Amino acid sequence: MTIKIGVLALQGAVAEHIRSLQQAGAEAVAVKRVEQLSELHGLVIPGGESTTIGKLMRKYGFIEAIRQFAADGKPIFGTCAGLIVLAQRIDGGEEAHLGLMDMTVVRNAFGRQRESFETDLEVAGLDRPLRAVFIRAPLIKEVGPDVEVLSVYKGEIVAARQNRLLACSFHPELTDDSALHAYFVAMAEEAAAEKSVK
Ligand code: GLN
């Protein structure tokens, strides 16, 4: 079966995610309308500006539709601003967007000097270090008991998974290494296989 993954295309790094997903063997499409969600096996919420993405999601009915998508057992991968959009809690009291993942995130957490940087990261589930690009990145300050920490950078959580939800602070779509996209496509494959035997 061909796995079809959508990239939420309201704002942010969409084309790069589509390329990385194709490199990982999936069919990938830009998602602009809620009706498109029903034809997908998984969804990527890209980086950009979480406040803007959240606003547009509310405006176009994506909040309820994506919550339902998650409740149907379909995987979601949030990167950078997408991680913020997935979180149940945003440090500082800002209102959560999707509120799906049991974690508290801190926006723009790496300070001015370290606004953008690259590093090689160990990520649980990947067999070699991943080149990671951080751009005004958030970090995960605290996670609930069902959240598995996948990667830590200088003591801070930068990638995590809660069942079928995957999130990372950095931009995995900005390098040629599509290993984390392949990990997500495998999650979607597993979810799709489980659905078809039910
Ligand atoms: N700083 C952005 C935010 O807080 C996230 C940055 C990014 O996605 N590269 O929403």
Side-chain angles (χ1 to χ4, degrees):
M1 176 179 38
T2 311
I3 293 296
K4 189 168 174 183
I5 308 285
V7 181
L8 188 66
L10 299 174
Q11 190 241 5
V14 176
E16 294 86 349
H17 271 297
I18 289 181
R19 187 205 47 136
S20 297
L21 288 162
Q22 288 168 342
Q23 208 171 300
E27 187 184 334
V29 291
V31 173
K32 295 201 161 134
R33 292 174 294 106
V34 287
E35 301 80 61
Q36 289 175 271
L37 292 172
S38 64
E39 46 184 73
L40 304 176
H41 298 108
L43 180 71
V44 172
I45 304 177
E49 192 60 42
S50 56
T51 324
T52 308
I53 296 175
K55 225 177 257 169
L56 293 170
M57 285 171 80
R58 282 179 185 85
K59 182 169 172 190
Y60 295 110
F62 274 106
I63 298 282
E64 283 315 313
I66 295 176
R67 283 184 185 148
Q68 188 54 51
F69 188 85
D72 290 343
K74 292 187 177 177
I76 304 174
F77 181 16
T79 66
C80 203
L83 165 148
I84 301 166
V85 169
L86 276 179
Q88 284 182 8
R89 295 168 298 278
I90 302 174
D91 191 66
E94 198 181 318
E95 199 195 331
H97 301 284
L98 286 169
L100 288 171
M101 245 177 119
D102 187 5
M103 60 185 182
T104 307
V105 300
V106 183
R107 294 181 64 192
N108 304 321
F110 290 90
R112 287 224 147 201
Q113 284 77 37
R114 307 229 68 194
E115 239 173 35
S116 304
F117 60 96
E118 283 188 41
T119 189
D120 291 319
L121 278 181
E122 294 286 344
V123 181
L126 303 190
D127 53 12
R128 58 194 147 73
L130 184 74
R131 188 76 184 157
V133 181
F134 290 78
I135 305 169
R136 290 173 54 75
L139 63 77
I140 303 170
K141 190 174 145 186
E142 169 267 332
V143 294
D146 297 333
V147 177
E148 184 192 349
V149 172
L150 298 182
S151 188
V152 172
Y153 173 72
K154 295 197 172 164
E156 311 285 7
I157 305 170
V158 292
R161 175 176 176 174
Q162 180 179 347
N163 193 15
R164 297 220 166 115
L165 304 172
L166 179 67
C168 67
S169 297
F170 48 88
H171 286 262
E173 78 286 8
L174 294 182
T175 67
D176 286 336
D177 189 347
S178 54
L180 199 54
H181 287 85
Y183 178 99
F184 180 65
V185 172
M187 280 170 67
E189 234 155 32
E190 212 179 286
E194 214 166 274
K195 250 212 156 93
S196 62
V197 292
K198 263 184 200 160

